[in-house]
Amino acid sequence: YVDHTHRRTPDLFEERRDTYDVDLQHHFVPSPRQEVVWGVGYRVTGDRVGNSAVIAFLPDRRTESLLNLFAQDEITLLPDRVHLTLGSKLEHNDYTGFEVQPSLRLSYTPSSHQTLWGAVSRAVRTPTRIDTDIRFYGGPLVLLRGDTGFRSESVVAYELGWRTEARRNLTFDAATYYNVYDHLRSQELTGGNDLPIFFANKLKADTWGGEASANYQMLPWWRWYAGFSYLHKTFSLAPGSTDATDGLAEGNDPARQLWLRTSLDLPGRIELDSWLRHADALPSPKVPAYTELDLRLGWRATAALDLSLIGRNLLHAHHPEFGSPGPTRQEVTRSLYGRLQWSF
């Protein structure tokens, strides 16, 4: 694909970006118990930035390339019972060179109604222009800058899950995880006690939590979905770090989230969908907890034509979901709109 974007925030920032991307994927079955997928991709992206007295990227133009190669082999160890999936992605980027991201997944199906699975994988977030090239100014002074030595952030994730079909019309899913993060972005003082603050990789984190969900087909024309998730996180700084934020900016997530959805297929090809959701408060910057409701009334006029009336965030005229408190914080507003969808 080829993509062009133009983003402009008056008196603050402007960017024009062109991206060229090509991907190839191949699937084959080398034996009755193996399925292999492999692929290669190459991307080139170039930007032109309009800097301001507040934010700048130096240099104001940069062209970057990304090469990736991946392979995955799904192996049947015991037919209809045990499956092992091995895979890895190898990337090369202009900031840190080669990055390896392997994964291992094992699933066990003791019966036709239950599946147990576990996985171990490694992933990275490679540096961006924000990590290496950005400058924030306060008058003539540089307050915050990127660093060309910024490394990739990494995580090793351990996951365990279970799925069961309690009845023909009722299924449960549960999953838990433990993630170990390293080389996360920190904000360090120059020389230990002076400006500008610069980005480094002196923050670590451990997170654990889980998610549970249920799917209930109460009637042939009425389905319910419910779910709950929990996230706990701890941060620690490397010896010698001068970061005063203790990782708050990198881990501003709700501890608990709940959701309840229902879908009805009514006479006359009418569809009614609702989604009630709740998110806990965010700690830094502080954002209060919120509960919201979305509704959709649809009419499937023909097999190809779908008309919908959709309302979002209907419980409040507006509410915040991110950003620092104050008059400049953007808030999500109640909205109502129509949609026409034609399928060929």
Side-chain angles (χ1 to χ4, degrees):
Y1 67 84
V2 177
D3 179 76
H4 172 79
T5 61
H6 178 206
R7 176 185 176 190
R8 180 172 180 265
T9 303
D11 303 319
L12 190 65
F13 173 78
E14 185 172 11
E15 178 196 56
R16 289 178 169 86
R17 179 175 295 275
D18 295 297
T19 303
Y20 307 88
D21 187 284
V22 59
D23 293 281
L24 170 70
Q25 184 171 306
H26 179 223
H27 168 265
F28 65 99
V29 181
S31 72
R33 292 195 176 190
Q34 281 184 279
E35 288 191 36
V36 175
V37 179
W38 71 276
V40 63
Y42 184 67
R43 178 183 303 168
V44 177
T45 179
D47 65 11
R48 303 180 303 282
V49 179
N51 293 323
S52 70
V54 179
I55 298 177
F57 287 84
L58 303 177
D60 61 359
R61 295 188 176 204
R62 185 184 287 275
T63 299
E64 304 170 5
S65 62
L66 177 68
L67 174 67
N68 74 84
L69 174 69
F70 76 92
Q72 177 180 288
D73 188 1
E74 183 176 339
I75 306 167
T76 301
L77 300 180
L78 291 176
D80 300 324
R81 285 290 184 267
V82 182
H83 293 82
L84 175 66
T85 303
L86 302 171
S88 185
K89 175 184 279 190
L90 176 66
E91 287 187 348
H92 183 275
N93 67 84
D94 293 341
Y95 296 98
T96 62
F98 286 100
E99 299 284 356
V100 181
Q101 302 175 76
S103 66
L104 182 150
R105 181 177 294 266
L106 183 68
S107 66
Y108 171 53
T109 307
S111 70
S112 59
H113 302 292
Q114 293 192 73
T115 299
L116 298 170
W117 60 269
V120 181
S121 55
R122 180 182 186 268
V124 300
R125 185 190 74 83
T126 55
T128 68
R129 291 260 269 155
I130 290 178
D131 301 308
T132 61
D133 299 340
I134 199 166
R135 302 290 189 274
F136 285 94
Y137 294 100
L141 296 178
V142 179
L143 303 180
L144 176 66
R145 65 171 176 83
D147 187 83
T148 55
F150 194 88
R151 303 171 58 182
S152 293
E153 299 178 332
S154 66
V155 60
V156 178
Y158 305 88
E159 301 170 274
L160 188 65
W162 171 63
R163 179 183 178 89
T164 182
E165 185 179 8
R167 296 162 50 184
R168 287 187 58 187
N169 59 347
L170 178 62
T171 60
F172 292 100
D173 286 272
T176 185
Y177 60 86
Y178 178 70
N179 296 334
V180 180
Y181 294 86
D182 203 0
H183 308 304
L184 296 181
R185 183 167 60 195
S186 62
Q187 302 177 33
E188 308 293 332
L189 291 169
T190 301
N193 57 6
D194 201 1
L195 293 175
I197 297 172
F198 67 95
F199 289 140
N201 300 92
K202 295 186 176 182
L203 183 66
K204 297 183 178 182
D206 294 333
T207 65
W208 61 268
E211 180 176 310
S213 62
N215 186 333
Y216 179 39
Q217 187 76 47
M218 188 171 71
L219 295 170
W221 49 273
W222 194 353
R223 173 170 289 187
W224 290 85
Y225 312 84
F228 169 80
S229 68
Y230 176 76
L231 168 65
H232 176 82
K233 52 189 180 294
T234 59
F235 291 89
S236 62
L237 292 167
S241 173
T242 57
D243 191 325
T245 68
D246 291 327
L248 289 177
E250 300 299 315
N252 197 34
D253 306 290
R256 299 171 184 83
Q257 297 184 76
L258 302 94
W259 60 94
L260 178 65
R261 296 176 57 190
T262 184
S263 299
L264 294 88
D265 297 324
L266 302 175
R269 292 183 290 190
I270 301 295
E271 300 171 345
L272 178 62
D273 303 318
S274 64
W275 181 26
L276 181 68
R277 64 192 188 279
H278 171 82
D280 270 2
L282 302 183
S284 179
K286 291 185 177 180
V287 177
Y290 66 89
T291 302
E292 275 299 353
L293 175 67
D294 296 346
L295 291 175
R296 170 186 169 270
L297 181 64
W299 176 46
R300 192 167 295 279
T302 68
L305 179 62
D306 183 22
L307 304 174
S308 299
L309 181 65
I310 301 171
R312 297 197 183 277
N313 304 296
L314 297 177
L315 299 185
H316 304 89
H318 54 84
H319 72 273
E321 293 187 10
F322 55 87
S324 301
T328 62
R329 176 155 70 182
Q330 299 290 317
E331 297 196 356
V332 178
T333 60
R334 179 186 294 139
S335 62
L336 180 68
Y337 62 94
R339 183 178 70 189
L340 183 151
Q341 183 173 326
W342 180 271
S343 302
F344 295 93

